[in-house]
């Protein structure tokens, strides 16, 4: 085999291996509208990969504080002014600076997640009031904002289930769990 043929063959093999590696492919279709005094989001998630995906869709809980929970939708004010409505891991305890979580190095809070099998899809929806108090960043907490006239986007966090990242038997995942994020199309709230 000549040098150019060998190189072309190696490139083809590498391309095939990359195509079979199962890059996470979670498709999100979201429809956002205003219904009464709320922003309504209806969405469908479709797992187009060959591997199961954990979808972080259930909000926060703390096994050490029975009855405490938060979410499942978080409201974030992005630096660009877009308001992100999300079901994903956004938590101050993910950072080395643990001052926002009581100085605890290993937080006890966990994100609820569910497994979406290959080829499966799931639909859901939620509403957020037009007047809302952001969860993130911390500087925006306690300061209600209106979503009227703002651009909002819905995002979901997910991770491929692998031997190194198995699904949790109890459906609870720590804040440092791996995560990819997929977002829908931005929506301008009238």
């Amino acid at each position: 085999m000549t040098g150019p043929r060998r190189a072309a063959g190696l490139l083809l093999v590498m391309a095939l291996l990359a195509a079979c590696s199962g890059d996470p492919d979670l498709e999100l279709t979201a429809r956002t509208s205003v219904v009464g005094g709320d922003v309504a989001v209806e969405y469908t998630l479709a797992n187009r990969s060959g591997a199961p995906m954990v979808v972080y869709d259930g909000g926060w809980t703390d096994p050490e504080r029975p009855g405490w929970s938060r979410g499942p939708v978080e409201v974030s004010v992005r630096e660009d002014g877009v308001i992100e409505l999300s079901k994903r891991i956004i938590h101050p305890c993910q950072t080395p600076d643990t001052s926002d979580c009581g100085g605890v190095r290993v937080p006890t809070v966990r994100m609820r997640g569910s497994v979406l099998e290959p080829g499966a899809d799931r639909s859901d929806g939620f509403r957020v009031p037009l007047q809302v108090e952001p969860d993130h960043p911390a500087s925006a907490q306690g300061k209600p904002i209106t979503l009227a006239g703002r651009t909002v986007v819905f995002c979901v966090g997910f991770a491929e289930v692998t031997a190194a990242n198995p699904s949790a038997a109890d459906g609870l995942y720590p804040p440092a769990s791996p995560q990819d994020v997929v977002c829908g199309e931005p929506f301008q709230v009238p």
Side-chain angles (χ1 to χ4, degrees):
M1 187 180 275
T2 65
R5 277 191 184 162
R6 186 175 303 151
L10 286 173
L11 287 174
L12 179 60
V13 169
M14 288 172 50
L16 289 172
L17 287 174
C20 296
S21 69
D23 284 341
D25 190 7
L26 186 70
E27 184 179 293
L28 169 64
T29 306
R31 194 177 88 223
T32 308
S33 60
V34 175
V35 178
D38 297 335
V39 172
V41 177
E42 295 177 12
Y43 65 94
T44 300
L45 296 169
N47 184 350
R48 301 292 183 229
S49 76
M53 301 283 176
V54 172
V55 180
Y56 302 116
D57 58 0
W60 294 100
T61 190
D62 187 343
E64 292 187 7
R65 294 187 285 172
W68 180 86
S69 66
R70 190 172 121 208
V73 178
E74 296 195 55
V75 178
S76 301
V77 180
R78 292 183 177 178
E79 288 182 13
D80 62 3
V82 172
I83 307 301
E84 181 181 311
L85 309 175
S86 62
K87 292 187 175 195
R88 69 182 186 106
I89 296 174
I90 304 175
H91 198 273
C93 296
Q94 287 179 267
T95 64
D97 174 11
T98 58
S99 60
D100 285 341
C101 52
V104 178
R105 286 274 172 220
V106 180
T108 57
V109 292
R110 298 289 185 261
M111 173 63 83
R112 288 185 187 96
S114 59
V115 175
L116 187 60
E117 296 295 334
D121 58 39
R122 169 184 319 147
S123 296
D124 202 354
F126 62 89
R127 290 183 176 198
V128 174
L130 281 173
Q131 292 289 325
V132 67
E133 185 176 312
D135 299 299
H136 306 282
S139 61
Q141 293 174 353
K143 301 172 188 171
I145 61 171
T146 182
L147 298 180
R150 306 287 296 261
T151 300
V152 300
V153 66
F154 172 58
C155 300
V156 176
F158 67 99
E160 184 176 349
V161 175
T162 64
N165 182 46
S167 62
D170 61 2
L172 300 178
Y173 298 85
S177 296
Q179 175 179 243
D180 289 305
V181 177
V182 63
C183 297
E185 291 295 318
F187 173 75
Q188 181 70 38
V189 180

